[in-house]
Amino acid sequence: MGAEVEPIIGRYVRTQISGQSHRIYFEEAGAGIPLLCLHTAGADARQFQHLLLDEQITEHFRVIAFDMPWHGKSSPPVGYQDKDYCLTTALYSESIRSFCAALALDRPVVMGCSMGGRIVLHLAQAFPDEFRAVIGLEAADHQTPWYDTSWLHRPDIHGGEVCAALISGLVAPQSPEEHRWETLWGYLQSGPGVFKGDLHFYREDSDYRDRVKDIDTEKCPVYLLTGEYDFSCEPSDTLRTAEAIAGSQVEIMEALGHFPISENPDQFRRYILPVLDRIRAGS
Amino acid sequence: MAKSGFEDLADQVNRNSALVHRGRFLDVDFLVVDGDTPYWISVREGRIAEISAGQALLRSWAFAIRATSEAWRTFWQATPPPGFHDLFALCKGGHAKIEGDLQPLMANLRYIKEVLATPRTSGLEDHGR
């Protein structure tokens, strides 16, 4: 009997972002409605491997997850060594739309977690014709910063170790050890200053509180799911955001934290499968 | 009031060889305060060399972590409720406060977090409940 080979396929696509060439690594599985997945700050697309392996999802959706530049297997652009990585709403949005154009995705559903959940609100508001629906996981229109990010990138502290130890508390206590530690490994592995650079977007350049009310959910439906143990994007942050977006649908997920996709895949599917069914019914 | 989870912390930490190994580069004196009771904790090469409870004038510490007794006991439950499951969750919720020189804390964050959470896994999670 041969080894088990999984159906996930990983490839690179070349694209231009901000006038620079990039090789973007992505993984995909399934066929049907394109479902584009955006990982959290300081991590990579491996967070979505459980979704990519879920036949109940891939039966109807072409699930695609890519590593943002500087993350996972997508290298930083040429000349990275002389600057600090710093993500903005404009750069993040352009990166996602460049990737969609490169793969010629037809109005994908876009699902993002944490900073990915933040940017999908911008996409729904600014480019409603380009996306079939957005799903924000651990998403809100704004959060009050709760710690000093200068600890994340300095020579007397190991960046990977401190990032992982910091965010470890955002995993729910009920999440299985195997998945908790696999989630943390993404942070332990991240490049120097990358989590901090992502948090520039998350904290400094994505206050959408005055803009989310302009989202037209008739054009681009909005679904928001947040774990009860997330004290970074607190359930109250998500509920406030949902209240501001007429027609949005929101649910607070039990026994989950800030990384529902990877920290407890079985628990997460209880919440995401009905959302995907609704999107499919509306397509 | 039931006894604090910090009373038996030294034995529990020092018996955990993986935890001691993780902290092997750390020598630090820090303070934790459970309600009104200060616990002075000295770590040497990842082992807790000494814990002494009670007021001690002019004793220095690198960093201090203060929380109410109620907060620590909720934190030590086997499955703490949201907001009480992590040191920084306690701080963000206003139940705990961290002061002092945070460099040794942040450089050894996993170790310190696991030391503070040790009573949770040692069968003392009831703590008077």
Side-chain angles (χ1 to χ4, degrees):
Chain A
M1 197 165 125
E4 182 186 350
V5 178
E6 296 183 347
I8 299 174
I9 294 172
R11 303 180 75 175
Y12 288 88
V13 62
R14 292 176 187 240
T15 186
Q16 294 278 315
I17 301 169
S18 283
Q20 283 199 286
S21 299
H22 282 267
R23 287 175 72 233
I24 302 293
Y25 179 74
F26 67 101
E27 296 183 343
E28 67 168 292
I33 299 168
L35 171 60
L36 182 66
C37 301
L38 308 175
H39 59 73
T40 63
D44 61 60
R46 278 176 296 179
Q47 290 178 323
F48 292 97
Q49 61 185 310
H50 304 285
L51 250 76
L52 286 156
L53 291 172
D54 191 327
E55 290 177 3
Q56 221 172 317
I57 297 175
T58 55
E59 186 184 353
H60 302 291
F61 289 87
R62 178 186 175 196
V63 186
I64 306 158
F66 73 98
D67 292 339
M68 279 283 289
W70 299 77
H71 301 69
K73 293 169 85 166
S74 297
S75 294
V78 171
Y80 80 88
Q81 66 275 16
D82 293 325
K83 59 188 173 196
D84 283 344
Y85 167 63
C86 181
L87 190 65
T88 61
T89 287
L91 178 60
Y92 196 5
S93 176
E94 187 192 347
S95 304
I96 295 162
R97 295 174 68 224
S98 297
F99 178 81
C100 290
L103 289 195
L105 300 181
D106 175 26
R107 291 179 61 241
V109 177
V110 59
M111 172 167 70
C113 189
S114 183
M115 75 164 185
R118 177 76 54 81
I119 196 69
V120 303
L121 300 175
H122 170 71
L123 297 176
Q125 186 258 321
F127 311 105
D129 298 329
E130 296 180 24
F131 299 96
R132 197 171 303 234
V134 304
I135 306 169
L137 309 173
E138 317 309 316
D141 52 10
H142 172 75
Q143 278 156 249
T144 310
W146 54 279
Y147 65 94
D148 177 359
T149 58
S150 65
W151 294 110
L152 304 179
H153 189 208
R154 46 187 273 172
D156 59 344
I157 293 180
H158 188 289
E161 297 263 23
V162 73
C163 292
L166 190 80
I167 61 99
S168 65
L170 298 174
V171 178
Q174 296 90 342
S175 290
E177 286 291 283
E178 172 191 350
H179 297 311
R180 166 190 303 273
W181 284 102
E182 186 161 44
T183 299
L184 297 181
W185 185 247
Y187 283 81
L188 288 162
Q189 277 196 314
S190 74
V194 171
F195 186 34
K196 186 181 178 202
D198 283 336
L199 291 178
H200 175 82
F201 157 75
Y202 201 49
R203 292 164 169 240
E204 311 293 334
D205 194 44
S206 62
D207 184 347
Y208 302 152
R209 280 177 292 186
D210 60 345
R211 294 176 36 203
V212 290
K213 66 178 183 335
D214 299 329
I215 295 175
D216 181 351
T217 55
E218 292 287 320
K219 276 187 176 174
C220 183
V222 173
Y223 299 88
L224 301 174
L225 298 170
T226 290
E228 63 174 342
Y229 277 93
D230 190 345
F231 65 90
S232 177
C233 176
E234 297 186 25
S236 59
D237 295 319
T238 303
L239 293 170
R240 177 198 68 232
T241 304
E243 201 165 313
I245 306 172
S248 63
Q249 300 194 42
V250 63
E251 189 162 7
I252 303 306
M253 302 182 286
E254 289 179 8
L256 284 166
H258 193 69
F259 310 94
I261 39 178
S262 61
E263 70 174 66
N264 194 343
D266 289 342
Q267 179 73 353
F268 178 56
R269 58 197 306 278
R270 293 174 42 188
Y271 295 96
I272 194 61
L273 289 179
V275 168
L276 294 176
D277 282 347
R278 265 177 269 161
I279 290 173
R280 197 155 59 89
S283 280
Chain B
M1 177 66 72
K3 76 174 185 178
S4 170
F6 294 121
E7 298 282 341
D8 300 321
L9 194 68
D11 279 350
Q12 290 160 9
V13 168
N14 294 342
R15 275 202 306 267
N16 184 341
S17 57
L19 185 53
V20 169
H21 178 72
R22 186 162 308 118
R24 66 196 178 280
F25 299 110
L26 180 61
D27 293 331
V28 71
D29 296 327
F30 69 102
L31 170 67
V32 292
V33 181
D34 179 346
D36 295 327
T37 307
Y39 291 86
W40 310 86
I41 302 179
S42 297
V43 174
R44 296 293 178 267
E45 297 181 350
R47 293 176 58 82
I48 294 187
E50 186 194 355
I51 297 186
S52 57
Q55 298 300 333
L57 287 178
L58 304 181
R59 187 160 183 170
S60 62
W61 40 264
F63 58 87
I65 302 171
R66 305 171 195 274
T68 62
S69 291
E70 178 68 17
W72 284 122
R73 277 149 189 75
T74 310
F75 175 74
W76 287 323
Q77 287 177 29
T79 305
F84 291 85
H85 60 293
D86 176 73
L87 174 62
F88 294 133
L90 290 176
C91 291
K92 194 182 178 203
H95 306 290
K97 202 187 282 187
I98 304 174
E99 299 164 346
D101 175 12
L102 303 198
Q103 197 281 338
L105 169 68
M106 298 305 281
N108 298 275
L109 187 56
R110 179 180 166 193
Y111 171 84
I112 298 289
K113 275 188 166 188
E114 291 183 1
V115 164
L116 296 175
T118 291
R120 184 182 294 162
T121 53
S122 63
L124 291 178
E125 59 268 10
D126 294 324
H127 286 282
R129 282 169 187 275

